[in-house]
Structures are given as structure tokens and as C-alpha cells.
């Protein structure tokens, strides 16, 4: 049954559960593995090898690809920003209807949490997709480009959502070979408001019967890596992402008489330059830090020197020590430069997302599952952390897990040379969506089978 549906205006339903219809099940004997599927060298257990090679996950995911792509394009045409995504939520609900999942809708935001319960005791794994778009105009030229002026899916969240729906369908069809539970987390407000925290507050990590989530997994698509490749590292995967707001306060007056006023505009520009010097001279070269001022606002007319100039931006760090150093340096430099010109600077530094910390054991499980489902040559060690930010960090603060990158460089393009996430021209190879579906399922099946990585609360406590 296709799950792309038609465009429907919907609204979220607050705080109740929906029991889905009976799932469509497929005889495991009908699932055949691709002939070229090979296990990685570190898998020695013959039974594990047989189970994984017999899964045929990539082949099964490719059968779903037309519907996954159709759902992705539906969401792409109708992007929504922030915590309230009624059209996207409705698309997800329609797509997972009939799978036999227990569904809970968010009270504070348009989230969807769907639980696949196999009816057999075992571990509980959370799989996550973010759903929100970005406030920017699309210039891709795609025939399914955004219909909403000034809003675009430029970070692949439409693809994340479609892949997780595909995984829900495939795992539901294979539930007879699973034990335990899978929690599908469809999250709004990753880009603009940290939607993971309200979902955690509403009970995301504890099921209705009191069962706790044991581990969590997410992937993030990008266009810079070769299509259908997986990139991961243990430890810090994403930087902490914090905010900067600075208001320089001067004294307004006529543009023809700057000597009689206090002009905040050149001072604001000087602060921008001084902050870059501060980064290079106070943060150690082996502890990367990035500080970027992205907006400067001042003035209302060509002949008026304004009273204030406002700066905003972000700083990214990989350790608490460098985070503290940069935070203190911003306040010191902005205040000092303003004071040198007889002005003041109000500095606000709201904390953003913490670092994403990949659990080493779970990351090894993901790499093993990816190598088996997609092929060992498609799995790569990420050489260094990325300075991007991700609120999946809040989930990984509470349970072990990992987040990885899925490459989707467009066909005919050279990896690393094309527009990437947050570009108004970013394009993704939609063939990679089948790899993403298969990866979600491979990680789930390996973890629920008892593969090392995370473990239940009792296992983690040694009981």
C-alpha cells in the first residue's frame, strides 16, 4: 500500500494515544538477500552472519523506495518551520496508519511517537527523525520545490522523516523475527527550538507501561559525502551550538555630524573583527572553536546615525573548557571595544544544544550493522567532529546511542564540491533513502537481537 498520500491540511491532536490497525506481515522466507552482500571482517559468529545476510534489508528497502521518495517530495513541497507542523504531522500519521503501532501525539508541539511492540520481551530502541524546515527561499529548480515562500527543507529533514516511515513499515512487516520494542520519534523544532526536550518531558523515553528506552539512533543526510555511504565516530560527533546577541549602545544624531554623537555602527564592525582575533588567540589549536556573526542590524534612514547596532550569531565548541573560554571572551571583547569608544555593549549568550556524544559500543554496533546491510566499503570512520549542532544530544545525554551521517551526493557530482545542508540549492540523491531505511532497520535488528551497544537498564547496571 503506497504511503505518499495526497496533500492534506491537518492539525495536531494533543496528548492521546492511537492504536493502529493490525500490521501487514510478510513471510520471512520471501525475503532474499542480495548475492553481493558480505559481512564485515569483525563478524565471526556464524549464526549472526546467517541472520544478517538472510535479512535482505537493502533489497527490501529498495522495494519501498518509490513510496519513500513520494512521501519525501510531498513533505518537501509543503515545508513547515518550528514546533507546530500540522501538515507534516498529518502526512506521517497517514503514512504509518495500519502498521499496528501505538501512536502518541505531542501536547506542546506537533510530534509523533509511534511504538512497535513485538509482544516478546527484549530491549527497547528509539529511532529518530526530525521534521522541520528552514526559513529560507528555495532555489533548487526542482519540480517538487517548496510551495511556501521563504521556507525550504534545506537540511534533509524531509528525507529523514520519509526514511523513518519506511523503516517503520519494514520493521512492522518483519516483527515476527524481532523481540522487544522500537520507538519511532518524529520530532519538530530541531532547527529553531530544541524540540527534543519537550518530547522528553512528555515521556518519550518511558513507555506507557513504564518500560525505559535502552538506546537511541539517528542519522543525518548530507550532500557532501558519496551517496549511500555511512560516516561515524565514537565520542563527540557534533559540537555544542550556542547563541550570541550583542547590542552596542551609542547616541543617535545627524549623519553629517558624527563627531557630535556616538556612532555604534563602526564599533559593531570592530567587535566582529575583534571576536575573530579573540578566537585565534585564546582557544588552543587542538580544541576547535568557531564563532560566526551572521546578522548586523542598525539604522532606519541614510541620514541618521542610529542609537544602537545589533549583532547576532553562534559559537561552536567541542569541550566544556573551550565553551567557557569563548563565552567569557565574547563578553570581555564586546564590552571592552565598546568602552574604548565611550559606549556600552549588552551581551546575551543563551546556551544552545550540548555536544552529541556517540557511545563507543553502540557506534561499533552501528558500523557493523551498516557494513552488513550496505557493504563494508560504504562504512567510513569520520576523521573529526563536525561543528554543526544537534538537539539529539539531549536524548544521548540520557541513554546510550549514536548519530551518523548518510551521504547523498547527487549523481554525476564530485563529493565535497556541491551545495550542502542549509544551502538554498542543496540537492540529494534519493537513492540514498533506501540505504537510510535499511540502516535504521539493520541497527534495530542487531540491537534487539542482543548485539553489544547500550543494553537494557538492567544490563547497564550489571543486574
Amino acid at each position: 500500500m503506497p504511503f505518499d498520500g495526497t496533500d492534506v491540511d491537518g492539525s495536531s491532536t494533543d496528548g492521546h494515544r492511537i492504536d493502529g490497525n493490525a500490521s501487514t506481515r510478510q513471510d520471512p522466507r520471501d525475503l532474499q538477500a542480495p548475492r553481493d552482500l558480505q559481512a564485515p571482517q569483525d563478524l565471526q559468529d556464524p549464526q549472526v552472519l546467517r541472520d544478517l545476510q538472510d535479512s535482505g534489508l537493502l533489497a527490501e528497502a529498495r522495494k519501498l523506495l518509490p513510496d519513500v521518495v513520494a512521501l519525501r517530495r510531498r513533505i518537501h513541497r509543503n515545508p513547515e518551520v518550528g514546533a507546530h507542523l500540522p501538515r507534516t504531522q498529518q502526512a506521517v500519521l497517514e503514512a504509518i496508519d495500519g502498521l499496528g503501532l501505538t501512536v502518541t501525539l505531542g501536547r506542546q508541539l506537533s510530534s509523533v511517537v509511534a511504538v512497535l511492540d513485538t509482544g516478546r520481551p527484549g530491549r527497547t530502541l528509539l529511532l529518530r527523525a526530525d521534521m522541520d524546515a528552514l526559513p529560507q527561499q528555495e532555489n533548487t529548480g526542482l519540480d517538487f520545490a517548496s510551495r511556501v515562500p521563504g521556507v525550504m527543507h534545506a537540511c534533509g529533514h524531509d528525507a529523514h522523516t520519509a526514511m523513518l516511515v519506511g523503516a517503520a513499515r519494514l520493521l512492522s512487516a518483519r516483527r515476527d523475527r524481532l523481540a522487544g520494542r522500537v520507538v519511532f520519534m518524529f520530532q519538530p523544532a530541531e532547527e529553531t527550538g530544541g524540540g527534543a526536550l519537550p518530547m522528553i518531558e512528555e515521556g518519550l523515553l518511558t513507555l506507557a507501561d513504564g518500560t525505559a528506552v535502552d538506546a537511541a539512533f539517528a542519522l543525518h543526510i548530507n550532500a557532501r559525502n558519496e551517496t549511500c555511504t555511512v560516516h561515524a565516530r565514537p565520542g563527540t560527533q557534533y559540537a555544542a551550538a550556542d547563541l550570541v546577541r550583542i547590542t552596542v549602545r551609542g547616541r543617535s544624531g545627524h549623519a553629517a555630524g558624527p563627531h557630535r554623537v556616538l556612532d555604534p555602527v563602526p564599533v559593531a564592525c570592530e567587535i566582529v573583527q575583534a571576536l575573530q582575533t579573540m578566537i585565534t588567540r585564546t582557544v588552543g589549536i587542538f580544541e576547535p572553536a568557531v564563532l560566526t556573526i551572521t546578522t548586523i542590524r542598525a539604522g532606519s534612514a541614510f541620514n541618521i546615525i542610529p542609537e544602537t547596532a545589533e549583532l547576532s550569531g553562534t559559537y561552536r565548541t567541542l569541550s566544556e573548557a573551550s565553551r567557557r573560554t569563548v563565552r567569557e571572551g565574547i563578553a570581555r571583547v564586546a564590552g571592552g571595544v565598546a568602552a574604548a569608544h565611550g559606549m556600552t555593549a549588552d551581551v546575551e549568550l543563551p546556551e544552545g544544544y550540548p555536544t552529541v556524544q556517540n557511545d563507543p559500543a553502540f557506534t561499533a554496533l552501528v558500523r557493523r550493522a551498516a557494513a552488513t546491510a550496505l557493504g563494508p566499503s560504504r562504512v567510513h570512520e569520520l576523521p573529526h567532529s563536525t561543528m554543526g549542532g544537534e538537539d539529539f544530544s539531549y536524548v544521548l545525554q540520557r541513554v546510550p546511542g549514536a548519530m551518523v551521517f548518510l551521504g547523498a551526493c547527487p549523481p554525476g557530482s564530485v563529493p565535497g564540491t556541491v551545495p550542502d545542508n542549509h544551502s538554498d540549492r542543496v540537492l540529494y540523491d534519493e537513492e540514498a533513502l533506501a540505504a537510510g531505511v535499511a540502516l535504521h532497520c539493520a541497527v534495530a535488528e542487531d540491537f534487539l537481537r542482543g548485539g553489544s551497544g547500550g543494553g537494557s537498564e538492567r544490563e547497564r547496571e550489571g543486574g
Side-chain angles (χ1 to χ4, degrees):
M1 179 181 67
F3 55 85
D4 59 299
T6 57
D7 293 338
V8 176
D9 289 314
S11 58
S12 64
T13 306
D14 294 339
H16 67 271
R17 296 179 183 271
I18 304 170
D19 289 325
N21 298 327
S23 64
T24 301
R25 300 189 181 184
Q26 189 166 0
D27 189 334
R29 291 171 297 183
D30 294 336
L31 306 179
Q32 299 299 321
R35 291 185 178 274
D36 60 350
L37 195 63
Q38 295 183 358
Q41 295 298 314
D42 61 343
L43 288 180
Q44 302 298 328
D45 186 331
Q47 182 59 49
V48 172
L49 285 172
R50 280 196 298 273
D51 289 345
L52 291 173
Q53 290 175 337
D54 287 347
S55 68
L57 285 172
L58 185 56
E60 291 302 306
R62 282 178 172 147
K63 294 177 183 177
L64 294 176
L65 185 59
D67 289 338
V68 172
V69 168
L71 178 60
R72 182 250 167 165
R73 293 183 178 187
R74 173 186 175 182
I75 296 171
H76 191 93
R77 289 188 193 99
N78 300 282
E80 297 172 295
V81 175
H84 300 290
L85 319 174
R87 292 171 66 89
T88 308
Q89 184 189 58
Q90 183 67 19
V92 169
L93 292 175
E94 291 175 8
I96 63 175
D97 184 43
L99 297 183
L101 309 177
T102 300
V103 177
T104 304
L105 306 186
R107 296 185 296 273
Q108 303 177 61
L109 66 176
S110 301
S111 60
V112 178
V113 178
V115 179
L116 169 63
D117 190 337
T118 68
R120 289 174 288 279
R123 294 168 158 183
T124 300
L125 176 69
L126 181 147
L127 302 175
R128 178 264 204 168
D130 39 15
M131 304 190 293
D132 56 322
L134 285 161
Q136 66 186 106
Q137 184 65 36
E138 180 166 354
N139 290 298
T140 61
L142 293 170
D143 58 8
F144 57 91
S146 171
R147 297 173 179 170
V148 183
V151 182
M152 174 193 176
H153 270 292
C155 201
H157 296 188
D158 52 340
H160 298 170
T161 303
M163 287 187 285
L164 190 58
V165 165
R169 286 185 64 89
L170 188 49
L171 288 170
S172 294
R174 297 163 64 88
R175 70 175 70 203
D176 286 343
R177 57 166 63 191
L178 305 176
R181 301 171 181 84
V182 181
V183 178
F184 302 97
M185 173 188 179
F186 295 93
Q187 179 204 317
E190 188 279 325
E191 296 288 0
T192 58
L197 274 180
M199 293 186 70
I200 292 170
E201 292 168 2
E202 292 182 0
L204 170 71
L205 300 179
T206 305
L207 305 189
D209 63 359
T211 300
V213 168
D214 295 311
F217 173 71
L219 57 81
H220 202 302
I221 200 167
N222 68 51
R224 66 181 173 272
N225 293 128
E226 181 183 353
T227 193
C228 299
T229 58
V230 176
H231 303 257
R233 71 189 314 272
T236 305
Q237 176 94 355
Y238 275 93
D242 297 308
L243 308 180
V244 181
R245 289 195 288 265
I246 301 170
T247 302
V248 182
R249 299 193 180 278
R251 187 171 67 246
S252 66
H254 201 290
H259 58 290
R260 291 189 291 268
V261 301
L262 295 175
D263 186 353
V265 174
V267 175
C269 295
E270 189 173 330
I271 288 173
V272 174
Q273 296 298 323
L275 289 176
Q276 300 308 313
T277 302
M278 181 272 294
I279 287 290
T280 64
R281 293 299 180 268
T282 62
V283 180
I285 60 173
F286 298 112
E287 295 222 0
V290 171
L291 194 165
T292 303
I293 299 299
T294 54
T295 71
I296 302 177
R297 296 185 179 90
S300 59
F302 77 95
N303 57 354
I304 301 173
I305 290 175
E307 186 83 8
T308 62
E310 299 176 354
L311 310 173
S312 69
T314 182
Y315 63 100
R316 310 296 175 95
T317 53
L318 297 179
S319 72
E320 283 303 314
S322 59
R323 195 179 192 186
R324 184 170 54 253
T325 297
V326 173
R327 184 181 184 86
E328 293 170 351
I330 294 170
R332 183 179 65 253
V333 168
V337 172
H341 295 279
M343 303 182 209
T344 61
D346 300 335
V347 180
E348 299 176 67
L349 300 168
E351 286 196 359
Y353 303 155
T355 59
V356 171
Q357 296 293 327
N358 283 349
D359 178 77
F362 195 90
T363 303
L365 179 149
V366 172
R367 288 172 57 85
R368 179 174 69 243
T372 304
L374 307 180
S377 65
R378 293 182 175 179
V379 182
H380 303 276
E381 179 85 13
L382 193 67
H384 52 73
S385 306
T386 176
M387 302 307 285
E390 245 292 346
D391 76 338
F392 192 59
S393 54
Y394 294 124
V395 174
L396 296 186
Q397 283 183 330
R398 292 160 173 83
V399 298
M403 186 171 201
V404 306
F405 293 124
L406 174 66
C409 183
S413 301
V414 178
T417 67
V418 298
D420 201 8
N421 295 342
H422 288 225
S423 167
D424 61 348
R425 295 176 291 115
V426 64
L427 301 172
Y428 304 106
D429 179 11
E430 291 180 321
E431 175 68 23
L433 273 60
V437 171
L439 180 57
H440 276 304
C441 295
V443 170
E445 293 195 359
D446 196 340
F447 182 76
L448 296 185
R449 187 184 297 110
S452 60
S456 68
E457 184 175 349
R458 183 170 182 174
E459 290 172 322
R460 293 197 299 270
E461 292 173 351

